[in-house]
Amino acid sequence: MACVLEMRADLVGPFIGKFNRNAMQNVTLYAFAAPVVAQQSPGSGPMMGQLLFFGLFFAAMWFLLIAPQRKKQKAHLAMIKALTTGDEVLTSGGIYGVVTNVKDDRVVLRIAEGTKIELARSFVQSVEKKASGS
């Protein structure tokens, strides 16, 4: 049912260049694809294939990028809520300190003897060591 288009190399001879060779492949591919396109139902055109492609692409991006980021964000929020006095933490600015006081939206860190800083909870990057009592 598929029509096959053959071109003999001895007839084409020196005219086979990069452009001509690609043109022959395209003609051959179109000759094979024509009966397949004719057999498709009228409702399932290229629009269905594009929708399927974009749907699969979105699902892949969700599972590869968005879902892990949301999981990481939830874990960071849980870590911030669980901060207690005595935890050794690392801030997003690279400062290590010990939590001395926990307020609603801030924490007070002791970074050296006699030196305390107050910063927003969201700037705590990680808990290096939990307090021994907790």
Side-chain angles (χ1 to χ4, degrees), residues 86-91 95-100 109-112 128:
D87 290 346
E88 291 182 24
V89 297
L90 171 65
T91 67
I95 299 173
Y96 287 91
V98 178
V99 177
T100 59
L109 297 181
R110 186 183 78 235
I111 57 174
E128 299 296 316

Side-chain angles (χ1 to χ4, degrees), residues 9 12 24 38 43-44 58 61 67 98 110 115 123:
V12 177
M24 285 190 306
S44 66
F58 179 75
M61 288 299 108
V98 178
R110 186 183 78 235
T115 307
F123 285 102

Side-chain angles (χ1 to χ4, degrees), residues 69-97:
Q69 182 63 29
R70 289 183 73 194
K71 184 178 179 182
K72 185 177 178 182
Q73 187 177 15
K74 286 180 183 179
H76 185 255
L77 187 61
M79 185 249 336
I80 288 174
K81 286 183 179 181
L83 284 175
T84 58
T85 302
D87 290 346
E88 291 182 24
V89 297
L90 171 65
T91 67
S92 59
I95 299 173
Y96 287 91

Side-chain angles (χ1 to χ4, degrees), residues 4-13 15-16 20-21 23-28:
V4 177
L5 180 63
E6 288 185 24
M7 298 184 85
R8 291 179 38 196
D10 59 338
L11 294 177
V12 177
F15 299 108
I16 296 180
N20 290 336
R21 192 171 289 136
M24 285 190 306
Q25 290 172 353
N26 289 341
V27 170
T28 305

